[in-house]
Amino acid sequence: MISISKYVIPIVLLGLIGVGCTSTVSVTVMHPADIALPADLDSLIIVNRTQRIKTGSKVGNAIEGFFTGEPIAGDKNGVSKTLEHAINLLNNNERVTLVTTRIFEVPNINGTLKYEIPIRSEVIDSLAENHHADGVLALEYFDSDRVINGNRNTSESFVWTYWRLYYPNAQEIIDEFQLKTFGRGDYSYTSFIPTGYSSIVRAGTESADRYLKRIIPSWYVERRTYYTKGCEELKIARNQIKIGDWSKAKYTLEMGFQQKYSPKVLGRLAYNLAVVCEQLELLNEALDYAYKSAETGNNQAPRLILILKTRVDEQALIQDQLIRE
């Protein structure tokens, strides 16, 4: 009888050896927005339209919150933190200027669930003109629900938000979008109320993050695999990549790529050069090295080629979306 372990163990060991030869590094890359803003829309103010008309008593609302697990004033706190996060993002972007960190309150006079009716144009025009803004970003709706498993409230929440971007110069709404986002509570708290607050806040800030990435080219944190073993240059470059010294890593890897190594090692060097060149914004050179790595039979290269081709194709769109007048 043939022992299966005789063949399985070497395969497992080979897999472990392959894993041990690679590591990952966090990289920041810019991707385009889902929509393009008009070039002359380069300044914004923020409006909060989530204030609701109260239809029940405070006691009734408190009882409802007790049974649903929703913390008292959880949505109000979530709105505040969500808009604070939006302010931070808008103060650190390359496309629009936030005119003021003040949040303008525009109550929804049409009722609690009538956010589908836009803010009146005369209100938008007045706000924009008085504060010298080209556009108005409005959080129109915010509502949370705790996640309930059976009879047990968890420290998780869903938040529904509705965003609109008004463009008074052309008397139009550039974009309107509804989001459902998820947040998990901070388990360092012992009380269910603090975790309820934190889960709503996390879902709300995720909504702000996702919406602003929809309208503004934004930076994303991604992971890239790179090789750490195979030759001396790969080992040296490993430490340079770890600390983000991309220029030195490029020089080290280029020195190795000129040596008479085996195709396998040359493929690893070319692959790492592709990763490094991407971080130096040398995207075409990065793509060239990725193809060279693929020619050696490197099985990681095809995926990197797809990533880099996408990034190369995105560059013209990003530049168009960043134009400001």
Side-chain angles (χ1 to χ4, degrees):
M1 181 175 180
I2 299 174
S3 173
I4 296 176
S5 62
K6 177 181 178 182
Y7 299 97
V8 172
I9 292 174
I11 292 173
V12 172
L13 289 175
L14 284 173
L16 292 173
I17 292 170
V19 171
C21 292
T22 62
S23 186
T24 60
V25 62
S26 294
V27 298
T28 53
V29 299
M30 180 174 280
H31 291 297
D34 294 337
I35 64 171
L37 303 181
D40 63 345
L41 199 169
D42 61 4
S43 60
L44 289 174
I45 57 173
I46 295 178
V47 160
N48 174 19
R49 199 193 179 201
T50 65
Q51 181 178 332
R52 302 185 184 187
I53 297 174
K54 297 180 180 178
T55 57
S57 67
K58 291 182 180 179
V59 174
N61 290 336
I63 292 174
E64 180 186 2
F66 176 80
F67 284 107
T68 62
E70 296 178 19
I72 298 172
D75 282 2
K76 183 177 181 180
N77 181 63
V79 168
S80 175
K81 297 299 183 182
T82 296
L83 292 178
E84 284 180 19
H85 186 62
I87 288 171
N88 290 334
L89 294 173
L90 287 169
N91 278 331
N92 293 279
N93 81 96
E94 301 177 30
R95 176 56 181 84
V96 296
T97 299
L98 185 63
V99 174
T100 174
T101 57
R102 176 184 171 187
I103 297 171
F104 298 91
E105 301 286 339
V106 179
N108 188 343
I109 63 174
N110 298 300
T112 56
L113 297 178
K114 295 296 184 181
Y115 61 89
E116 66 269 19
I117 301 175
I119 300 172
R120 297 193 308 273
S121 59
E122 57 267 29
V123 175
I124 293 295
D125 293 345
S126 176
L127 282 168
E129 183 177 353
N130 290 340
H131 300 282
H132 308 289
D134 300 314
V136 176
L137 174 63
L139 177 58
E140 306 258 353
Y141 181 74
F142 187 105
D143 186 45
S144 69
D145 271 333
R146 295 290 299 282
V147 177
I148 299 177
N149 295 330
N151 295 320
R152 184 176 65 86
N153 290 322
T154 70
S155 298
E156 302 169 347
S157 297
F158 285 107
V159 163
W160 286 261
T161 53
Y162 198 93
W163 301 81
R164 275 196 183 95
L165 181 58
Y166 296 86
Y167 181 40
N169 287 356
Q171 293 290 301
E172 66 182 26
I173 296 171
I174 292 289
D175 186 53
E176 47 191 329
F177 201 69
Q178 187 173 31
L179 284 164
K180 178 184 177 182
T181 47
F182 170 81
R184 181 171 283 112
D186 186 342
Y187 290 93
S188 64
Y189 291 100
T190 56
S191 168
F192 82 92
I193 292 181
T195 55
Y197 280 120
S198 63
S199 64
I200 292 172
V201 167
R202 288 183 177 184
T205 54
E206 170 69 13
S207 171
D209 191 64
R210 284 173 56 183
Y211 185 71
L212 288 175
K213 285 177 176 177
R214 173 175 168 79
I215 63 173
I216 297 171
S218 303
W219 292 99
Y220 293 73
V221 177
E222 298 179 356
R223 303 291 295 179
R224 296 288 184 265
T225 300
Y226 66 97
Y227 290 95
T228 59
K229 297 178 181 178
C231 66
E232 189 63 25
E233 288 82 5
L234 285 169
K235 293 179 183 178
I236 295 171
R238 172 188 61 196
N239 296 324
Q240 295 164 338
I241 291 172
K242 278 184 179 179
I243 63 174
D245 196 340
W246 303 104
S247 295
K248 282 187 179 179
K250 184 174 186 289
Y251 177 80
T252 300
L253 293 167
E254 285 174 337
M255 293 299 100
F257 196 67
Q258 295 173 12
Q259 307 303 313
K260 294 182 178 180
Y261 289 123
S262 67
K264 179 179 179 179
V265 172
L266 290 174
R268 291 183 177 185
L269 287 161
Y271 183 94
N272 281 14
L273 276 165
V275 172
V276 168
C277 286
E278 181 191 13
Q279 287 310 291
L280 293 171
E281 292 300 318
L282 303 171
L283 294 181
N284 289 317
E285 189 173 351
L287 188 56
D288 183 52
Y289 276 120
Y291 276 119
K292 289 178 179 177
S293 180
E295 289 170 0
T296 69
N298 186 292
N299 60 7
Q300 298 282 344
R303 181 174 179 274
L304 185 59
I305 288 171
L306 290 176
I307 291 172
L308 292 171
K309 285 181 70 175
T310 299
R311 290 210 61 209
V312 168
D313 292 341
E314 288 177 343
Q315 294 311 296
L317 179 58
I318 290 172
Q319 294 307 311
D320 285 343
Q321 291 182 350
L322 289 175
I323 293 174
R324 304 174 62 167
E325 290 183 358

